[in-house]
Amino acid sequence: MRIEGIHLAATGAYIPPRVSTREAVERGWYEQELVDSCGWRSIAVADGMPAPDMAVAAARQAFERSGLGREDIDLLVHTCAYHQGPDGWSAPHYILRGTLNTPIPALTVDQGCNGFLAGIETATQYLLAAPARTGALVTSADNFGAPSVDRWHAHRDAVLADAGTAVVLSRRPGWARLRSVESVSLPEFEVLNRGHEPLFPPALTVGKQLDMNEHLEAMIEELGPQASRIVQDYGAAGGKLVEQLTAEAGIAVSDLTAVLHLGAGTTAFLESHLQPMGLDAALGDVAYFREVGHAGACDIGLQLNHLAEEGLLSIGDHLLMLSSGPGIMITAAVVEVVSPPALGAPERARTDADTATGSAFGAPGTGTTATPGTGIAAARGTGTGTDRGAAW
């Protein structure tokens, strides 16, 4: 869908301290052969910090950078890939209370690793539905340190990282324009994220650990020879989506400056996702994610914030944001940079205790303006070690 009049006002991120994969091997959490084949160098680990508190920290930063007032935000959308807190509780309202504390709608978009972009699409449609609406805050956060997750082995190619991220969308001019956004689903492959698990009772309620490797094996068993179609169908659907969105943005695929993608530790893994869509893996950033890990639904927001903070964006850049999640659902968006991002100092996490004691949220600041750098291409790294391709 071609988008008119929606801008990116600001981004924010919270990345907790990182644990090196060397230390993980020494402690017996991870294996050296996986370090060599999967490429990860360090992983962001939040220990006991709740995911919603990381979302609050990222949201505060994005909001304060945006220069908007509380009255300018009409919707909060929170996204995640894993459980956020107590059963029957609303994480987005906790985030709303810890940030804007206004009576606007707050909702969750539960679309796994695709959640952040799906949340941006949802928020965009909400803003476009009524002329009086001016802004939306989209957050994402996950903490994979729960007893039900072995972050080092839950996925054969990825190590799960903890983080929070946020973006402010606005009808007012911002540092980037959202030119197009759309989603497509491949429901015939929904078993990829279901596995052999019964639908009831839910796996977590009976103490089962997250095992995405078993899910892959179950898909191969259930679909038989048809399972091999996933690479072709995924690539065809994604490629068609990319061509549609670039055309709606008024550019060619070859005009893209960068592809913002889900975390990858090797160039071969990234190529296995991008090449079937006709995209060059050199447009991605494996080097950045090797130092962070795969942070669930946060990856796109983290990479966007990284480019903004490091001064790697230039006016006229066109960024393709691309992710996928359970379903399979693919979401993509094209963003055009129109001015240097406004940045401010990072914020600490605001917790429920801060709210209870009346800790001030603070007024929006003007921040500082990012100094344009040498550009995205000059900052890209190349793979080292044995690049491991993705087998669905």
Side-chain angles (χ1 to χ4, degrees), residues 14-43:
Y14 178 89
I15 302 177
R18 303 176 199 190
V19 175
S20 71
T21 50
R22 176 180 297 180
E23 178 184 349
V25 170
E26 292 173 350
R27 291 177 174 268
W29 301 334
Y30 201 45
E31 292 73 43
Q32 185 61 48
E33 55 267 31
L34 291 177
V35 174
D36 296 337
S37 64
C38 294
W40 307 103
R41 294 174 180 165
S42 60
I43 305 299

Short mmCIF file of all heavy atoms in Angstrom, two decimals, residues 14-43:
data_model
loop_
_atom_site.label_atom_id
_atom_site.label_comp_id
_atom_site.label_asym_id
_atom_site.label_seq_id
_atom_site.Cartn_x
_atom_site.Cartn_y
_atom_site.Cartn_z
N TYR A 14 16.82 0.03 23.74
CA TYR A 14 17.50 -0.35 24.98
C TYR A 14 18.14 -1.71 24.73
O TYR A 14 17.44 -2.69 24.44
CB TYR A 14 16.53 -0.43 26.16
CG TYR A 14 17.22 -0.88 27.43
CD1 TYR A 14 17.81 0.06 28.28
CD2 TYR A 14 17.32 -2.22 27.75
CE1 TYR A 14 18.49 -0.35 29.42
CE2 TYR A 14 17.99 -2.64 28.89
CZ TYR A 14 18.57 -1.70 29.72
OH TYR A 14 19.24 -2.11 30.85
N ILE A 15 19.47 -1.76 24.82
CA ILE A 15 20.20 -3.02 24.66
C ILE A 15 20.94 -3.29 25.95
O ILE A 15 21.81 -2.51 26.35
CB ILE A 15 21.18 -2.96 23.47
CG1 ILE A 15 20.44 -2.63 22.18
CG2 ILE A 15 21.93 -4.28 23.33
CD1 ILE A 15 21.33 -2.49 20.97
N PRO A 16 20.64 -4.38 26.63
CA PRO A 16 21.30 -4.69 27.90
C PRO A 16 22.76 -5.13 27.68
O PRO A 16 23.20 -5.28 26.54
CB PRO A 16 20.45 -5.83 28.47
CG PRO A 16 19.84 -6.48 27.27
CD PRO A 16 19.61 -5.37 26.27
N PRO A 17 23.50 -5.31 28.76
CA PRO A 17 24.90 -5.78 28.62
C PRO A 17 24.99 -7.07 27.82
O PRO A 17 24.06 -7.88 27.79
CB PRO A 17 25.33 -5.98 30.07
CG PRO A 17 24.47 -5.06 30.87
CD PRO A 17 23.14 -5.06 30.16
N ARG A 18 26.13 -7.27 27.20
CA ARG A 18 26.30 -8.42 26.31
C ARG A 18 27.23 -9.46 26.91
O ARG A 18 28.18 -9.14 27.62
CB ARG A 18 26.84 -7.95 24.96
CG ARG A 18 25.92 -6.91 24.34
CD ARG A 18 26.44 -6.34 23.05
NE ARG A 18 25.77 -5.07 22.75
CZ ARG A 18 25.86 -4.43 21.61
NH1 ARG A 18 26.61 -4.93 20.64
NH2 ARG A 18 25.23 -3.30 21.43
N VAL A 19 26.92 -10.70 26.61
CA VAL A 19 27.75 -11.83 27.02
C VAL A 19 28.44 -12.36 25.78
O VAL A 19 27.79 -12.67 24.78
CB VAL A 19 26.89 -12.94 27.66
CG1 VAL A 19 27.73 -14.17 27.96
CG2 VAL A 19 26.21 -12.43 28.93
N SER A 20 29.76 -12.47 25.82
CA SER A 20 30.48 -12.97 24.65
C SER A 20 30.22 -14.46 24.48
O SER A 20 30.01 -15.20 25.46
CB SER A 20 31.98 -12.72 24.79
OG SER A 20 32.55 -13.56 25.78
N THR A 21 30.23 -14.91 23.25
CA THR A 21 30.06 -16.35 23.01
C THR A 21 31.25 -17.12 23.54
O THR A 21 31.13 -18.30 23.88
CB THR A 21 29.84 -16.62 21.52
OG1 THR A 21 30.85 -15.97 20.74
CG2 THR A 21 28.48 -16.12 21.06
N ARG A 22 32.42 -16.46 23.62
CA ARG A 22 33.58 -17.13 24.23
C ARG A 22 33.30 -17.46 25.68
O ARG A 22 33.58 -18.58 26.15
CB ARG A 22 34.81 -16.24 24.12
CG ARG A 22 36.04 -16.81 24.80
CD ARG A 22 37.24 -15.88 24.67
NE ARG A 22 37.63 -15.71 23.28
CZ ARG A 22 38.64 -14.95 22.90
NH1 ARG A 22 39.36 -14.29 23.80
NH2 ARG A 22 38.95 -14.84 21.62
N GLU A 23 32.73 -16.49 26.41
CA GLU A 23 32.37 -16.74 27.81
C GLU A 23 31.30 -17.82 27.90
O GLU A 23 31.34 -18.68 28.79
CB GLU A 23 31.86 -15.46 28.47
CG GLU A 23 31.44 -15.67 29.92
CD GLU A 23 30.84 -14.43 30.56
OE1 GLU A 23 30.94 -13.34 29.96
OE2 GLU A 23 30.27 -14.56 31.66
N ALA A 24 30.34 -17.79 26.97
CA ALA A 24 29.28 -18.80 26.99
C ALA A 24 29.85 -20.20 26.80
O ALA A 24 29.38 -21.16 27.44
CB ALA A 24 28.26 -18.50 25.89
N VAL A 25 30.87 -20.34 25.96
CA VAL A 25 31.52 -21.65 25.77
C VAL A 25 32.24 -22.06 27.05
O VAL A 25 32.15 -23.21 27.50
CB VAL A 25 32.50 -21.59 24.58
CG1 VAL A 25 33.35 -22.85 24.52
CG2 VAL A 25 31.73 -21.41 23.27
N GLU A 26 32.96 -21.10 27.66
CA GLU A 26 33.71 -21.41 28.89
C GLU A 26 32.78 -21.85 30.01
O GLU A 26 33.15 -22.68 30.84
CB GLU A 26 34.50 -20.17 29.32
CG GLU A 26 35.64 -19.83 28.36
CD GLU A 26 36.31 -18.51 28.71
OE1 GLU A 26 35.76 -17.79 29.58
OE2 GLU A 26 37.36 -18.19 28.11
N ARG A 27 31.56 -21.29 30.04
CA ARG A 27 30.61 -21.64 31.09
C ARG A 27 29.75 -22.86 30.75
O ARG A 27 28.91 -23.27 31.56
CB ARG A 27 29.69 -20.44 31.38
CG ARG A 27 30.41 -19.27 32.04
CD ARG A 27 29.48 -18.09 32.22
NE ARG A 27 30.08 -17.01 32.96
CZ ARG A 27 30.01 -16.85 34.29
NH1 ARG A 27 29.33 -17.74 35.02
NH2 ARG A 27 30.60 -15.84 34.89
N GLY A 28 29.96 -23.42 29.57
CA GLY A 28 29.21 -24.61 29.19
C GLY A 28 27.83 -24.36 28.66
O GLY A 28 27.02 -25.28 28.53
N TRP A 29 27.51 -23.10 28.32
CA TRP A 29 26.18 -22.76 27.80
C TRP A 29 26.08 -23.00 26.30
O TRP A 29 24.98 -23.21 25.78
CB TRP A 29 25.86 -21.29 28.07
CG TRP A 29 25.89 -20.89 29.51
CD1 TRP A 29 25.68 -21.69 30.59
CD2 TRP A 29 26.14 -19.58 30.02
NE1 TRP A 29 25.78 -20.97 31.75
CE2 TRP A 29 26.06 -19.66 31.43
CE3 TRP A 29 26.43 -18.35 29.43
CZ2 TRP A 29 26.27 -18.57 32.26
CZ3 TRP A 29 26.62 -17.25 30.25
CH2 TRP A 29 26.54 -17.35 31.65
N TYR A 30 27.20 -22.92 25.60
CA TYR A 30 27.24 -22.92 24.14
C TYR A 30 28.44 -23.74 23.70
O TYR A 30 29.35 -24.01 24.51
CB TYR A 30 27.36 -21.46 23.67
CG TYR A 30 26.93 -21.17 22.25
CD1 TYR A 30 25.76 -21.67 21.71
CD2 TYR A 30 27.70 -20.32 21.44
CE1 TYR A 30 25.36 -21.35 20.42
CE2 TYR A 30 27.32 -19.99 20.15
CZ TYR A 30 26.14 -20.51 19.63
OH TYR A 30 25.75 -20.20 18.35
N GLU A 31 28.46 -24.14 22.44
CA GLU A 31 29.53 -25.00 21.95
C GLU A 31 30.40 -24.24 20.93
O GLU A 31 29.87 -23.46 20.13
CB GLU A 31 28.96 -26.25 21.28
CG GLU A 31 28.27 -27.21 22.23
CD GLU A 31 26.92 -26.71 22.73
OE1 GLU A 31 26.16 -26.18 21.89
OE2 GLU A 31 26.65 -26.81 23.94
N GLN A 32 31.70 -24.52 20.97
CA GLN A 32 32.61 -23.83 20.08
C GLN A 32 32.27 -24.07 18.62
O GLN A 32 32.41 -23.17 17.78
CB GLN A 32 34.06 -24.26 20.36
CG GLN A 32 35.10 -23.50 19.54
CD GLN A 32 35.09 -22.00 19.81
OE1 GLN A 32 35.09 -21.58 20.96
NE2 GLN A 32 35.10 -21.19 18.74
N GLU A 33 31.82 -25.28 18.28
CA GLU A 33 31.48 -25.56 16.89
C GLU A 33 30.33 -24.68 16.40
O GLU A 33 30.25 -24.32 15.22
CB GLU A 33 31.16 -27.03 16.68
CG GLU A 33 30.07 -27.60 17.57
CD GLU A 33 30.61 -28.25 18.84
OE1 GLU A 33 31.66 -27.79 19.33
OE2 GLU A 33 29.96 -29.19 19.32
N LEU A 34 29.42 -24.32 17.33
CA LEU A 34 28.33 -23.41 16.95
C LEU A 34 28.84 -21.97 16.81
O LEU A 34 28.35 -21.23 15.95
CB LEU A 34 27.21 -23.49 17.98
CG LEU A 34 26.43 -24.81 18.02
CD1 LEU A 34 25.38 -24.80 19.13
CD2 LEU A 34 25.77 -25.08 16.68
N VAL A 35 29.80 -21.59 17.63
CA VAL A 35 30.42 -20.27 17.45
C VAL A 35 31.03 -20.18 16.06
O VAL A 35 30.86 -19.20 15.33
CB VAL A 35 31.50 -20.01 18.53
CG1 VAL A 35 32.22 -18.70 18.24
CG2 VAL A 35 30.89 -19.99 19.92
N ASP A 36 31.74 -21.24 15.68
CA ASP A 36 32.44 -21.24 14.39
C ASP A 36 31.46 -21.24 13.21
O ASP A 36 31.71 -20.60 12.19
CB ASP A 36 33.35 -22.47 14.30
CG ASP A 36 34.46 -22.44 15.34
OD1 ASP A 36 34.80 -21.35 15.82
OD2 ASP A 36 34.97 -23.53 15.68
N SER A 37 30.36 -21.99 13.34
CA SER A 37 29.45 -22.14 12.20
C SER A 37 28.37 -21.08 12.13
O SER A 37 27.92 -20.72 11.04
CB SER A 37 28.79 -23.53 12.23
OG SER A 37 27.96 -23.67 13.37
N CYS A 38 27.94 -20.56 13.29
CA CYS A 38 26.81 -19.62 13.31
C CYS A 38 27.23 -18.16 13.37
O CYS A 38 26.41 -17.28 13.10
CB CYS A 38 25.88 -19.94 14.47
SG CYS A 38 25.06 -21.54 14.32
N GLY A 39 28.46 -17.87 13.75
CA GLY A 39 28.99 -16.53 13.61
C GLY A 39 28.77 -15.56 14.76
O GLY A 39 29.36 -14.47 14.76
N TRP A 40 27.97 -15.91 15.75
CA TRP A 40 27.66 -14.95 16.81
C TRP A 40 28.89 -14.69 17.69
O TRP A 40 29.62 -15.61 18.05
CB TRP A 40 26.52 -15.48 17.69
CG TRP A 40 25.32 -15.88 16.90
CD1 TRP A 40 24.92 -17.14 16.58
CD2 TRP A 40 24.37 -14.99 16.27
NE1 TRP A 40 23.79 -17.11 15.81
CE2 TRP A 40 23.42 -15.81 15.61
CE3 TRP A 40 24.25 -13.60 16.23
CZ2 TRP A 40 22.36 -15.27 14.90
CZ3 TRP A 40 23.18 -13.07 15.51
CH2 TRP A 40 22.25 -13.90 14.87
N ARG A 41 29.11 -13.42 18.05
CA ARG A 41 30.25 -13.03 18.87
C ARG A 41 29.84 -12.62 20.28
O ARG A 41 30.58 -12.85 21.24
CB ARG A 41 31.00 -11.88 18.20
CG ARG A 41 31.66 -12.30 16.89
CD ARG A 41 32.27 -11.11 16.18
NE ARG A 41 32.90 -11.50 14.93
CZ ARG A 41 33.27 -10.66 13.97
NH1 ARG A 41 33.07 -9.37 14.13
NH2 ARG A 41 33.83 -11.09 12.86
N SER A 42 28.69 -11.98 20.41
CA SER A 42 28.17 -11.63 21.74
C SER A 42 26.66 -11.52 21.65
O SER A 42 26.10 -11.28 20.58
CB SER A 42 28.78 -10.32 22.25
OG SER A 42 28.49 -9.24 21.39
N ILE A 43 26.04 -11.71 22.80
CA ILE A 43 24.58 -11.75 22.88
C ILE A 43 24.12 -10.82 24.00
O ILE A 43 24.65 -10.86 25.11
CB ILE A 43 24.08 -13.19 23.17
CG1 ILE A 43 24.63 -14.16 22.13
CG2 ILE A 43 22.55 -13.22 23.20
CD1 ILE A 43 24.22 -13.90 20.70
#
